[in-house]
Amino acid sequence: MAGGKIQKRKLAASAAVNHYQGGVPFHKSKGQHILKNPMLVETIVQKSGIKTTDVVLEIGPGTGNLTKKLLEAAKSVIAIELDPRMVLELQRRFQGTPFSNKLKVIQGDVLKCDLPYFDICVANIPYQISSPLTFKLLSHQPAFRCAVIMFQREFAMRLVAQPGDTLYCRLSVNTQLLARVSHLLKVGRNNFRPPPKVDSSVVRIEPRKPLPPVSFKEWDGLVRLCFNRKNKTLGSIFRQKSVISLLEKNYKTLLSLQNLQSGSSRVEDDLGVLGDTSEDHSMEVDGGRDDDEMEVEDGEVNVGDESDFKEKVLGVLRQGDFEEKRSSKLTQVDFLYLLSLFNKAGIHFSSC
């Protein structure tokens, strides 16, 4: 009996630790970690630069600690929340207050919802949706002014990494093509209830207006190939038989279809390819093969054709002085220039 009472007390204590105010239990598996530090909430709102005329989109409002401060600063807040229990908690919290007419709550999955118009996005999101959400926001039209988002620290540092940094990767290049990204502050895990296993960082994302005039499918094809082994020279990467075969296949197919292709593409559809960064987090420093992109059956082209086309590819690298350079050191301008040189030579990277 005594042992049973002790066990019950432990369970009760555990349950108390894992509840929000209002008695709503946490689901850590869903990435539910609520900011409990009021000074940190104030700092995030201040760094967002919200105007009294702004419509703010908040993703994952939870029980509304950050929402309250956003409502005080903005014209209105649109909050998207997946958990119906949190939606009820928000409605209860602000019902009958001066903020009730300024808050609209949408229950749903932000990755599946059509986003409304907004000026600024502020979010403390489940970390597992970081990459797809970032690129969904960046494809949103009309473009917003900025987003201030809490990410897992390693993901945040990949977003802001510069050429030569250890964490510089496809995610860095693709995000910075579309936006100016800056690190605002580091947030320790003890600022959350319950505390996550890792630290976080707050990042500011400002979309480039207009977007660069580039085919994002082409861009991603090139960058994916280059970062497959980011510390090898481009000459070494583009000498691989599998790479030459793939590019020649694209080259011949595009030549035969160039009069049939319209070239039109919705921005949000085209941008979707940039959000697939699943391999970036597990990739070794020297990279590995990306079989989905690189694998081509031997024998698709004969040796003579392959040799001629290989010289065509390497000639492009020499023209731009890229043969001895490494992807890990290339800037946005470098990649844009390299892509333009390949395209002028009739060499393309998007799948046909």
Side-chain angles (χ1 to χ4, degrees), residues 2 56 88 108 130 136 171 186 194 197 223 236 264 269 304 333 340 344:
V56 175
L88 288 173
S130 296
K136 177 164 185 171
L171 176 64
K186 180 181 178 181
K197 294 180 179 179
V223 173
S236 174
S264 62
D269 291 340
V333 173
S340 71
K344 285 177 183 176

Short mmCIF file of all heavy atoms in Angstrom, two decimals, residues 2 56 88 108 130 136 171 186 194 197 223 236 264 269 304 333 340 344:
data_model
loop_
_atom_site.label_atom_id
_atom_site.label_comp_id
_atom_site.label_asym_id
_atom_site.label_seq_id
_atom_site.Cartn_x
_atom_site.Cartn_y
_atom_site.Cartn_z
N ALA A 2 1.90 1.24 0.89
CA ALA A 2 2.75 2.42 0.96
C ALA A 2 3.45 2.66 -0.37
O ALA A 2 3.54 3.79 -0.85
CB ALA A 2 3.79 2.25 2.08
N VAL A 56 -0.46 40.14 -38.40
CA VAL A 56 0.58 39.18 -38.01
C VAL A 56 0.05 37.76 -38.13
O VAL A 56 -1.05 37.46 -37.65
CB VAL A 56 1.07 39.45 -36.58
CG1 VAL A 56 2.07 38.37 -36.15
CG2 VAL A 56 1.70 40.82 -36.47
N LEU A 88 -9.17 25.78 -28.36
CA LEU A 88 -10.14 26.08 -27.30
C LEU A 88 -9.52 26.92 -26.19
O LEU A 88 -10.13 27.84 -25.67
CB LEU A 88 -10.70 24.78 -26.72
CG LEU A 88 -11.66 23.99 -27.62
CD1 LEU A 88 -12.01 22.64 -26.99
CD2 LEU A 88 -12.93 24.79 -27.89
N GLY A 108 -5.88 23.89 -38.04
CA GLY A 108 -5.46 23.11 -39.20
C GLY A 108 -3.96 22.96 -39.26
O GLY A 108 -3.22 23.54 -38.46
N SER A 130 10.36 22.44 -39.98
CA SER A 130 11.14 23.66 -40.23
C SER A 130 11.40 23.92 -41.71
O SER A 130 11.14 25.02 -42.20
CB SER A 130 12.49 23.57 -39.49
OG SER A 130 12.30 23.54 -38.10
N LYS A 136 7.52 27.12 -47.79
CA LYS A 136 6.12 27.48 -48.04
C LYS A 136 5.93 28.98 -47.83
O LYS A 136 5.27 29.66 -48.63
CB LYS A 136 5.17 26.70 -47.14
CG LYS A 136 3.71 27.12 -47.32
CD LYS A 136 2.72 26.15 -46.75
CE LYS A 136 1.30 26.60 -47.10
NZ LYS A 136 0.29 25.59 -46.76
N LEU A 171 20.65 23.80 -47.94
CA LEU A 171 19.65 24.60 -47.24
C LEU A 171 20.10 26.06 -47.16
O LEU A 171 19.30 26.97 -47.39
CB LEU A 171 19.43 24.04 -45.83
CG LEU A 171 18.49 24.85 -44.93
CD1 LEU A 171 17.08 24.85 -45.50
CD2 LEU A 171 18.49 24.28 -43.51
N LYS A 186 20.12 33.45 -29.45
CA LYS A 186 20.12 32.05 -29.03
C LYS A 186 19.16 31.90 -27.85
O LYS A 186 19.09 32.78 -26.99
CB LYS A 186 21.53 31.62 -28.63
CG LYS A 186 21.62 30.17 -28.18
CD LYS A 186 23.05 29.82 -27.78
CE LYS A 186 23.13 28.38 -27.27
NZ LYS A 186 24.52 28.03 -26.86
N PRO A 194 7.49 21.84 -21.66
CA PRO A 194 8.68 21.21 -21.07
C PRO A 194 9.92 21.55 -21.88
O PRO A 194 9.81 21.90 -23.06
CB PRO A 194 8.35 19.72 -21.18
CG PRO A 194 7.50 19.62 -22.41
CD PRO A 194 6.65 20.87 -22.41
N LYS A 197 15.14 18.85 -26.04
CA LYS A 197 16.45 18.24 -25.86
C LYS A 197 17.59 19.11 -26.39
O LYS A 197 18.76 18.84 -26.11
CB LYS A 197 16.48 16.86 -26.55
CG LYS A 197 15.55 15.84 -25.92
CD LYS A 197 15.64 14.51 -26.65
CE LYS A 197 14.71 13.47 -26.01
NZ LYS A 197 14.77 12.17 -26.72
N VAL A 223 22.62 22.79 -57.70
CA VAL A 223 23.11 22.88 -56.32
C VAL A 223 23.11 21.51 -55.65
O VAL A 223 24.04 21.17 -54.92
CB VAL A 223 22.26 23.90 -55.52
CG1 VAL A 223 22.63 23.87 -54.05
CG2 VAL A 223 22.46 25.31 -56.08
N SER A 236 36.29 17.60 -60.33
CA SER A 236 36.20 16.20 -59.91
C SER A 236 34.75 15.71 -59.96
O SER A 236 34.48 14.60 -60.43
CB SER A 236 36.75 16.05 -58.49
OG SER A 236 36.54 14.74 -58.01
N SER A 264 6.46 27.69 -68.82
CA SER A 264 5.72 28.36 -67.76
C SER A 264 5.70 27.49 -66.52
O SER A 264 5.73 26.28 -66.60
CB SER A 264 4.28 28.62 -68.22
OG SER A 264 3.62 27.41 -68.47
N ASP A 269 4.93 26.10 -57.11
CA ASP A 269 5.26 24.73 -57.52
C ASP A 269 6.75 24.60 -57.77
O ASP A 269 7.39 23.63 -57.36
CB ASP A 269 4.49 24.36 -58.79
CG ASP A 269 2.99 24.23 -58.53
OD1 ASP A 269 2.62 24.05 -57.37
OD2 ASP A 269 2.22 24.33 -59.49
N GLY A 304 32.52 7.45 -77.40
CA GLY A 304 32.89 8.63 -78.17
C GLY A 304 32.01 9.82 -77.85
O GLY A 304 32.49 10.93 -77.62
N VAL A 333 26.22 34.37 -55.97
CA VAL A 333 26.58 34.92 -57.28
C VAL A 333 27.34 33.90 -58.10
O VAL A 333 27.13 33.76 -59.32
CB VAL A 333 27.41 36.22 -57.11
CG1 VAL A 333 27.94 36.71 -58.46
CG2 VAL A 333 26.57 37.31 -56.45
N SER A 340 24.21 30.00 -65.37
CA SER A 340 24.01 30.73 -66.62
C SER A 340 24.98 30.24 -67.70
O SER A 340 24.61 30.13 -68.87
CB SER A 340 24.19 32.24 -66.40
OG SER A 340 25.55 32.58 -66.16
N LYS A 344 23.75 28.56 -71.21
CA LYS A 344 24.15 29.11 -72.49
C LYS A 344 24.75 28.06 -73.40
O LYS A 344 24.67 28.14 -74.64
CB LYS A 344 25.16 30.25 -72.28
CG LYS A 344 24.53 31.55 -71.76
CD LYS A 344 25.58 32.60 -71.51
CE LYS A 344 24.95 33.87 -70.94
NZ LYS A 344 25.97 34.89 -70.59
#
